[in-house]
Amino acid sequence: MPRERQEKRMNALNPRRQPIQQRARERTQQILDITARLLEEVGIDDLTTILIAKELGISVGSLYHYFPNKHAIMYALGERWLEEMTIAMNDMESFAVETMTPNQFVDKAINRMLAVYKAQRAVLPLTQALWAIPELRRLDEEHDYLVISKLANIFERLQLKGSRNELERVGRIYLETTHAVLLSVVSQKTVRSKRSLEDLKTMIAALVQSHAPGDSQASKESDQA
Amino acid sequence: MPRERQEKRMNALNPRRQPIQQRARERTQQILDITARLLEEVGIDDLTTILIAKELGISVGSLYHYFPNKHAIMYALGERWLEEMTIAMNDMESFAVETMTPNQFVDKAINRMLAVYKAQRAVLPLTQALWAIPELRRLDEEHDYLVISKLANIFERLQLKGSRNELERVGRIYLETTHAVLLSVVSQKTVRSKRSLEDLKTMIAALVQSHAPGDSQASKESDQA
DNA sequence: CAACAAACCGAATTATTATTCAGTTTATTG
DNA sequence: CAATAAACTGAATAATAATTCGGTTTGTTG
């Protein structure tokens, strides 16, 4: 019963075929690489199929030989991103969380996430596109779900307080904050970049700490009294 | 020497005229209101001039009577946003910062910022558009500059450590974090929303604290030893 | 090397939208 | 109530970009 590739949904967004020839397999990658570079350079609005083709030195016709439409290329880029993130989150889950303090976990986890952001080009326009283009929205949601649920798993192992629902809410705050600040971090020069990364760790550590047992969010409350 | 309106730059993005008749002044506002609503509902990509006109019950021609082009409408929306933010930042600057603890300041400052985000429709698509559309980029930069420099002023008054440059870097982290999390906050229901707001305050408080004199970022370092 | 398929080409087609403009209606004013 | 300007109309135009398709070149295979 050969049905390896049957999980594929959204036919209109998947590559036309699994390329037969070596050359073709390379082309598919080239298209994605060039598209990522152009996305970074010119932004989503000026990213046209003609531009991609020209930059690659092939014709638009050839481009459409590999992808059924423009969104399919973006979709493939989004899948790449999601895969990287999946690996990273699995890495995090395999940390010996139980033997770590929350701060130790945060330190390692943020470093791991930073590596993903550094490796991937065009993170900002890509993630914006995943949100803005209805056909790609599902990928964005999958991404968020992945990160948030894995984080919630880890939060449980760290013995944080609160229901599953609550831990997932904290996961979203973690995600949004980390995403926003890492975008700054990767665009800054070394010294500033390093300091901003420290700031991020400080903030996320405070977030996690505030949900640890034995913390009654005391610092703020007492001030307000 | 009457030259009231001479600060206007970018003729192509400003309204065609200061409307003479009452009706017309209302129209200008209506256009902005409808555009903001549609921006929220359909997103930037499906926001067409025809749609705006139809939704308002006027013709495209009329739309162009008020604004020279589509970007000018977005630009006006961006200006509105920038004005709100300017008022908010001035408010913050007028806090009696010197008599407050950092945490007290953060509490009030975040509340003030939340009010801006709650009052404005379509914050996410609007800010994305300001970033993505070259003609509007200047507004985005003005916005960032406004917030960051005002924050840096306040940080100085709070006696935070570091050069002006460093305080502005911290201002950016403050801005990015607050923006990202407030977008979540305004989209959540009451209970979750309230908790996320608390989380934001916790994180920002930690950020500010870590730059206060007498703090050697001890908590994280000691853990890593 | 013939036959077949994979890759490729790029001009032509299609679709979508912003923008214009020649006129019409509505308000203001002397 | 003319006369003038403000508001308005919507079909026509212009520009841009995605997508198609008939045909060519290149690679593979028996």
Side-chain angles (χ1 to χ4, degrees):
Chain A
M1 256 193 274
R3 50 183 175 85
E4 318 101 304
R5 289 256 128 213
Q6 281 200 2
E7 8 54 271
K8 290 282 179 191
R9 351 96 227 187
M10 265 200 273
N11 203 301
L13 287 178
N14 284 121
R16 283 200 186 282
R17 67 189 70 244
Q18 17 280 359
I20 309 298
Q21 302 177 4
Q22 177 62 24
R23 178 174 40 144
R25 219 162 310 118
E26 292 169 4
R27 266 289 136 81
T28 306
Q29 284 313 306
Q30 284 174 1
I31 292 171
L32 294 183
D33 290 339
I34 292 277
T35 303
R37 179 165 68 71
L38 289 174
L39 190 56
E40 202 170 31
E41 287 176 10
V42 306
I44 185 79
D45 287 334
D46 293 325
L47 183 72
T48 67
T49 51
I50 298 110
L51 179 62
I52 297 171
K54 190 171 61 181
E55 207 71 5
L56 243 168
I58 65 174
S59 69
V60 265
S62 284
L63 198 56
Y64 278 84
H65 181 71
Y66 292 99
F67 294 93
N69 55 58
K70 189 176 139 182
H71 286 159
I73 305 178
M74 299 295 297
Y75 190 85
L77 274 184
E79 279 186 317
R80 254 196 194 180
W81 168 245
L82 188 53
E83 278 160 21
E84 289 306 312
M85 198 55 92
T86 304
I87 295 171
M89 294 310 300
N90 286 339
D91 273 11
M92 278 191 210
E93 242 186 350
S94 73
F95 290 170
V97 173
E98 284 79 0
T99 73
M100 298 165 109
T101 66
N103 283 353
Q104 285 169 332
F105 164 75
V106 167
D107 188 70
K108 286 196 68 174
I110 299 285
N111 285 344
R112 185 65 187 81
M113 205 83 134
L114 173 63
V116 178
Y117 277 65
K118 272 187 171 166
Q120 181 86 19
R121 299 196 94 136
V123 178
L124 178 55
L126 179 58
T127 51
Q128 283 187 357
L130 294 188
W131 158 274
I133 300 169
E135 286 91 335
L136 311 186
R137 197 58 158 281
R138 184 200 312 242
L139 272 182
D140 190 59
E141 287 161 3
E142 273 183 46
H143 167 271
D144 287 3
Y145 174 76
L146 166 76
V147 174
I148 289 172
S149 60
K150 295 276 186 187
L151 282 175
N153 291 347
I154 292 171
F155 291 161
E156 283 176 349
R157 291 165 60 197
L158 282 169
Q159 322 254 314
L160 298 198
K161 292 176 299 190
S163 64
R164 177 71 191 186
N165 198 44
E166 168 72 354
L167 293 182
E168 287 180 354
R169 186 193 59 72
V170 177
R172 175 163 292 279
I173 302 300
Y174 181 122
L175 167 61
E176 299 291 353
T177 301
T178 303
H179 178 71
V181 177
L182 283 184
L183 286 175
S184 281
V185 169
V186 297
S187 73
Q188 288 171 331
K189 299 288 176 62
T190 48
V191 180
R192 288 166 69 85
S193 177
K194 192 161 289 189
R195 287 179 178 164
S196 294
L197 186 65
E198 281 313 303
D199 285 343
L200 174 58
K201 289 176 180 173
T202 300
M203 290 192 294
I204 296 295
L207 174 69
V208 172
Q209 287 290 6
S210 76
H211 292 273
D215 184 299
S216 52
Q217 284 138 312
S219 63
K220 235 183 3 294
E221 315 280 355
S222 64
D223 261 348
Q224 284 160 9
Chain B
M1 258 192 274
R3 52 185 173 83
E4 319 99 307
R5 289 256 128 211
Q6 280 201 2
E7 5 58 271
K8 291 279 179 192
R9 349 99 229 183
M10 265 200 276
N11 204 304
L13 286 178
N14 284 121
R16 283 201 186 280
R17 68 188 69 244
Q18 16 280 1
I20 309 299
Q21 301 176 7
Q22 177 61 25
R23 178 176 38 146
R25 221 162 309 120
E26 292 169 4
R27 268 286 137 81
T28 306
Q29 285 311 307
Q30 283 175 2
I31 292 171
L32 294 183
D33 290 339
I34 293 276
T35 302
R37 179 165 69 70
L38 289 174
L39 190 56
E40 201 169 32
E41 287 175 11
V42 307
I44 185 78
D45 287 334
D46 293 324
L47 183 72
T48 67
T49 51
I50 298 111
L51 179 63
I52 296 172
K54 191 171 61 182
E55 206 72 5
L56 243 168
I58 65 174
S59 68
V60 265
S62 284
L63 199 56
Y64 278 83
H65 181 71
Y66 293 98
F67 293 93
N69 55 60
K70 190 177 139 180
H71 286 159
I73 305 177
M74 299 295 296
Y75 189 85
L77 274 184
E79 280 185 318
R80 253 197 196 180
W81 168 245
L82 187 53
E83 279 160 22
E84 289 306 311
M85 199 53 93
T86 305
I87 295 171
M89 294 310 300
N90 286 340
D91 274 11
M92 279 191 209
E93 242 187 349
S94 73
F95 290 171
V97 173
E98 285 79 0
T99 72
M100 299 166 109
T101 66
N103 283 354
Q104 285 169 333
F105 164 74
V106 167
D107 188 70
K108 286 196 69 174
I110 299 285
N111 285 344
R112 185 64 186 80
M113 206 82 134
L114 173 63
V116 178
Y117 277 65
K118 271 187 172 165
Q120 180 86 19
R121 296 197 97 135
V123 179
L124 178 54
L126 179 59
T127 51
Q128 282 187 357
L130 294 188
W131 158 274
I133 300 170
E135 286 92 335
L136 310 186
R137 198 57 158 282
R138 184 201 313 242
L139 271 182
D140 190 59
E141 287 161 2
E142 273 183 46
H143 168 272
D144 288 5
Y145 175 75
L146 166 77
V147 175
I148 289 172
S149 60
K150 295 276 187 188
L151 282 176
N153 291 347
I154 293 171
F155 291 161
E156 284 177 349
R157 291 165 60 196
L158 282 170
Q159 321 256 310
L160 298 198
K161 292 175 300 187
S163 64
R164 177 72 191 188
N165 197 44
E166 169 72 354
L167 293 182
E168 288 179 354
R169 187 192 59 71
V170 177
R172 176 164 292 279
I173 301 302
Y174 180 121
L175 167 61
E176 299 291 353
T177 301
T178 303
H179 178 71
V181 177
L182 282 183
L183 286 174
S184 280
V185 169
V186 297
S187 74
Q188 289 171 331
K189 298 289 176 61
T190 48
V191 180
R192 287 166 69 85
S193 176
K194 192 161 289 190
R195 288 178 178 166
S196 294
L197 187 65
E198 281 312 305
D199 285 344
L200 173 59
K201 289 176 180 174
T202 299
M203 291 192 292
I204 296 295
L207 174 69
V208 172
Q209 287 289 6
S210 76
H211 292 273
D215 185 300
S216 52
Q217 283 139 313
S219 63
K220 236 184 2 292
E221 317 280 353
S222 64
D223 261 349
Q224 285 161 8

